[in-house]
Amino acid sequence: QVQLIESGGGLVQAGGSLSLSCAASGRTFTGYNMGWFRQAPGKEREFVATISWSGSSTYYADSVKGRFTISRDNAKKTVYLQMNSLRPEDTAVYYCYEDGPSAARSTTNRYWGQGTQVTVSS
């Protein structure tokens, strides 16, 4: 089973920056996407960013585009999220994920980390 451990969360003032990391261990897979979601208290989980295996394709939510950058290092089995120009509305628990193979050709399995808290003060 895949284990994903996020780190780098914390408290930062509005306009500041944080860097999140998500390191995979245990049974991991090659050739699949990794990415990030976030969830604020009382709100639904929200997509943040995703990146392809090669890193050649990335996609961001409109709310973070131009401020956040996703990257990955496959040798370290780690995905990163660089967050700049942070706003109070970015406050949430951030969860990383890794996709893996499925018995069904048209689907994949998604594995989740435990989350790391990001708090942006105004």
Side-chain angles (χ1 to χ4, degrees), residues 17-86:
S17 298
L18 282 175
S19 295
L20 304 184
S21 299
C22 173
S25 63
R27 180 177 173 83
T28 58
F29 311 98
T30 60
Y32 292 89
N33 293 348
M34 298 183 75
W36 297 87
F37 280 70
R38 66 187 182 185
Q39 187 168 24
K43 296 187 179 296
E44 294 184 346
R45 185 182 61 182
E46 175 188 29
F47 169 77
V48 176
T50 190
I51 186 168
S52 64
W53 167 257
S54 68
S56 62
S57 297
T58 59
Y59 184 75
Y60 299 89
D62 288 342
S63 59
V64 307
K65 190 175 299 182
R67 301 187 297 118
F68 292 9
T69 302
I70 188 171
S71 61
R72 66 190 296 169
D73 185 336
N74 291 331
K76 298 179 179 178
K77 299 192 292 185
T78 300
V79 64
Y80 305 93
L81 187 68
Q82 176 64 47
M83 305 184 295
N84 298 325
S85 301
L86 283 163

Side-chain angles (χ1 to χ4, degrees), residues 10-18 67-68 83-91 118-122:
L11 176 64
V12 65
Q13 292 184 337
S17 298
L18 282 175
R67 301 187 297 118
F68 292 9
M83 305 184 295
N84 298 325
S85 301
L86 283 163
R87 305 165 180 169
E89 52 263 44
D90 295 318
T91 295
V118 172
T119 302
V120 184
S121 62
S122 60

